[in-house]
Structure formats: structure tokens, C-alpha cells
Amino acid sequence: MQAFLQQILNALQLGSVYALIALGYSMVYGIITLINFAHGDIFMVSTYVAFFVGSALMAYALKLPGLITFLLTMFASMMFTAFLAVVIERFAYRPLRKAPRVSAVITALGVGLFLENFTLATIGPHPRFLPPIIPVQRFTIGGIATSNIQLIIIFVSAIVMFLLDTIVRRTMVGMAMRAISWDKFTVPLMGVPMDRIISITFALGASIAAVGGTLYGFVYTIDPYMGIRIGWWAFISAVVGGIGNIRGAMLGGYLLGLVEIFTPVILPSSTYRDFVAFSMLLLLLVFRPYGLLGRPVTQKV
Amino acid sequence: MEKVSGLLSPVRNFWNSFYSAWPDPVKKAFTPGLVGLLFFIMLVFPALGLINLYWQQVLIYVGINIILTLSLNLVNGYMGEFSVGHAGFMAVGAYVSSILTVWVLPKLGLSAYAPYLFPLVLIIGGLAAGLSGLIIAFPSFRTRGDYLAIVTLSWNMIVKSILENIEAVGGPRGFMGMPKLTNLAWVYVWVVITIWFIRNLVYSNYGRGALSIREDEIAASLVSVDTRKVKIVIFVIASFFAGIAGGLYAHVLLFINPRAFSILKSTDILVMVYLGGIGSIGGSILGATIYTVLLELLRPLQVWRWVIGPLLLVLLMIFRPRGIMGMREWGFLVPPEERPETWRKERETIILPRLASTRANPER
């Protein structure tokens, strides 16, 4: 039982990161029906930004308290990736808004590969560690080993997800987003600045991925190709939850975290996790083609 | 690109005047003659040492990539669906045909005949890939649009993951020991077969069904195209050819590992399809050739060539979303009855005289 709870805690930690990235996929898909394959690599860039900013703050800055350094690192990473996502949207996706949808998806694949290989060419392939901005403290609660980092990851993600859900449901920007995803032909006629709302969506999605990236960097190593695997896993999370649905993306993220943690427990080796996750996805698509919380889209003739 | 074709128009005009002056039997023999001549070159030049080994290898890769590009173009370009996991089918073909040559043929005592049994081995590999395509096609064509992308992608990941976990075929370390059976002539033969098959398929009833699905699936189903069946058949054919290409690839590299068939490889194939142009056989040939040779030429740049490739793709999509040839075709790849000059001729020799005669005596 204790081992089980321990694994649940680990799954929550990993699932939070997946959920944070899956949100970006889901928001972008919801608003312009584009599978933004570059999102995983935006996440990768965000961990590198966190790495450089964090290292610089640790090395040169005044002796700031750990929490402020952490927040500054995360903020810098969020700003940079939001800017990057807006630039990508402006120069790669916007010209293709009226082109066949497949062209935009291919462009997204190309942008993702470009980001990966550009990082590889400029920064190098070595795996790196984020500096210890917040010193790790391990402790046990009721026999379950945990650390302050693990709790920070789970709580920060929960707060960010709650904030995003509020933004989408309660603010004017969120209302505009939902309106555009409902009907993108009429909404601009009502005076909603569609391009700006789409840019905001990209910026929001990327900055949430950056929160995930910074948190991820505290625990795992970072390298230029890490965005591929995590990006795909987050993408599956988004699809499992029902792509375009924000709460579905969160649910999917936590489910995928569970799958990743519990596969090595049940099957002989951890290399089966891709197999399990993708088979689960295929089975789900057969029985519930629109995901767990998604609703079917009817096509007008 | 329109400007480029404008620049080339004197060449084309010269060629047309030259070509139309030939007598009909010569015209008819032109394409087979060209194919035969090229086969002769592919067979004799390497034997005489006129092409060095490096360029032979590059040409073999070009050929394999042409097969892959054409087969993916069938799904993505002609049928308008979006399949992104083509390397998965290639992996199935590569592993099945390698297992056949490494384990099954020696066990049957046939390894001495391997060069002669090579086509059979490839076809079995291709059939295995086609079968896997069938398994995937059934669930995926229940829905439409992006879901095929998700399903094919998952399939690619599943294949890679399974191969990494089968210790018998080397797991993540890879599989080796196949004899070097692929040579320029064989690749050329398979390229010709692929082009011939896909050209005939595209201009057949099934092909027209696929084209109508691309234009408007609902309208196609209303004019009694069995859309689901057409989609499955086209998809299985595409995976068959991907399997053939995988077999050729395994028997030229003599080493395969699951990582070689990851999503990166699938993306490469996508780049070639969209570079050359969707819905065009000539475009696929051009796209595969240009991309393969370009990456070879950029080899001195090392890591940066993997930066230039994707950048090229993005720029291409923005400025020319349909690729170099997009939906156009080289004349000799179009069946005679489909060519505009045939229509023009028909109009001048049959329709216009008839119209003129009806105008002359309206009673008829």
C-alpha cells in the first residue's frame, strides 16, 4: 500500500508536467484546429532558458533567496517561450491560415525539427542539469518518501492549471478564445481581434509549457531531443482527454503519468511504456474517437 | 516557380516541336526505350566501375526514397488523408525481409540462391507491411481528419517500441547479418514497378475514388464511392510499397536498428513528399532526388544540415504550399487519353467538324 501511494505521488509529479504541456496542445488545437507539433520543442527551449537564467542568477547575482531565484527563472523562461511561440505563430503559421490544414501541420513538424537541431548545433548534445536553485530536502510523511521539489512541482502545476481554467472561463480573453473555437467565421465580424487572440493563445500555451519545463528541469536531465518524447506524451494526453478540451488535457496528463510510472511495475521493463501508452491511445480511439471528455464534431455538408 | 517554368518554356516548345515530328511508333516506344536505356545504364555502369561506390550508394538511397515518397504521396497527396508514420511500415518490411534472409533461407538450405529469391523476400516483407497497414486502417478510418495522423503516429511508435523489446532481433542494438543483395539494378527495377503501378492505380477507378475523397469526402460518398473501402485499399498499397523500400534499405545498409525507423525518418519522407509536390508522381521523383542529394551535398556542414532541412521545409510550406510540382504531372507519366493534347486533337478532329456539319445543315 505504501509502495502504491509512493508511486501515485511520483505519477502525480510526472503527470503534472505532462498536463501542463498538454494544455498548450489542447488550447491551440481548440482555437485553430492545428496540431502544433512544435510544442514539445518549445518546452525543450524553455528548460534551456531556465538552465541558462538559473545558472546566471546562481553565479553572478546577489545572494537572492532560493524562492525568488526560482520565480525569476520561471518568469524569464515563460516570457522567452511566450515570445518564441508568438514569433513562430506570426511567421510560420499565420501565412498558412487559409492554406490547406495539412500544410500548417507540416510546418509545425518542420519548426519542431528546426528548434531541436538548432539547439543541438548551437548548445551541443550533452545532457545537463539545472543548478540547485532550491536545495533538495527529502522527508517522509507517513512512510512515503518525498521532497520539497516534488511537492513544489505538484502544487505549482495545480495553481497554474487552476489559473488557466479561470482565465478561459471567466475573463474576456477566455471568452473570445472560446468564441473563436466555436465559430471562427462570425466572431471576427463581432469586432473580436482574431489574430491577437490567437497570438495570446499561443503565448499562454507556451508560457504554461515553460512552467512545466522549469519544474521538469529540477528533477530530470535536459538535452536537445527531450522535447520529442515528452511532446508526444503530452500530445497523447491531450488526445486521450479529448483534444481541444482544457480539463480533458489535465485529466489525460495525469492518466499518462500513471501509465508511465506503473508500466515498469507491471511489465518487465520500462521500455514497454511507449508500447503501452500508444496501444492505449489506439484502443481509446476505437471506442471513444473524441477522447474521454471530448464531444463529437458534426460536419456540415 | 511560375517564372522558372516561364524561363523553361522555349526549351519545352523546342522539345514539343521535336517530339511531335516523330512518327507514332517511335513516340510509343519512347518511354519504354528510355526505361530500358536507364536500366542498361544502371546494370552496366556499376559493373564497369564507371560510377564510384559512393555515388552508387547515393543513387540507391535516391531510389529507395523515391519508392517511399511515391507510396506516401498516394495517401497524403492523392487521397488527401494525413499519414505521418510511414517509417513504421518501412520497419516492418525491413525486419521481416531481413529475418527471411538471415534465418529462414539458411534453414531451408537456400542461402546460395538468395540473390534470385530476393524479389520474393522483398514481396513477403511488403505483404507483411501491407497486413500491418490493414490492421491500422480498420480502426483509423472510422473517423476522419487528424485522427489518421494520431493513429499512424502511434503505430510508428508502437512498432519501434516492440522492436526495441524483441531480444531475438537484437532489441535496441539492432539486427545485422543480411547479405548485400540490393544493388542499383534491383532498386531501379523496383522504382519502375512502383511508378508504373501507382500511375496505373491513380488513373484507374480506384484512383479516381481516392481523388474524389481528397476533393470532398461527403460528395464522393454521395456519388457512390465506397469511401471506406477505397481508403483502406489505398492505404494498404502504400504500406506495401513502404515495406518493399524497407527491405531494400535493410539489404543495402546491412544493419537495421529500431531508431532508424523513428518519427524522424517519417518526417524525412513527409518533407520529400511536400517538397516535390502533393498528388504528382513527377513531383515525388523530384522531391526525393533533390532532398537526398541535397542532404548528401550538405554533409560537410555536419549538424547544421539537420537545421537547414527543416528550415527549407518551413519556407517551402509558406511560399509554395503545394511543393515544386504540386498537382501537375510530367507528360509521359500521364496516360495518352488523359493528356490535354489528346483532348485538343479530339476537339479539332472529331467535335469541331461535327459541330460544323450540324451548323451547315441544321436538320440533322
Side-chain angles (χ1 to χ4, degrees), chain B residues 54-96:
Chain B
Y54 173 68
W55 280 105
Q56 261 185 57
Q57 190 96 345
V58 172
L59 277 178
I60 287 176
Y61 284 144
V62 168
I64 292 172
N65 284 338
I66 288 175
I67 299 177
L68 285 169
T69 311
L70 266 173
S71 63
L72 187 64
N73 210 338
L74 199 57
V75 177
N76 285 22
Y78 284 105
M79 201 162 66
E81 294 288 335
F82 186 49
S83 165
V84 290
H86 219 50
F89 302 110
M90 195 187 166
V92 174
Y95 270 85
V96 169

Side-chain angles (χ1 to χ4, degrees), chain A residues 41-51 77 81 206 209-214:
Chain A
D41 300 299
I42 288 177
F43 159 81
M44 178 273 296
V45 171
S46 82
T47 58
Y48 269 97
V49 175
F51 169 77
S77 168
T81 40
V211 174
T214 316

Side-chain angles (χ1 to χ4, degrees), chain A residues 173-188:
Chain A
V173 173
M175 198 200 275
M177 283 175 190
R178 282 179 293 143
I180 290 174
S181 76
W182 187 258
D183 184 345
K184 64 169 81 55
F185 297 103
T186 326
V187 165

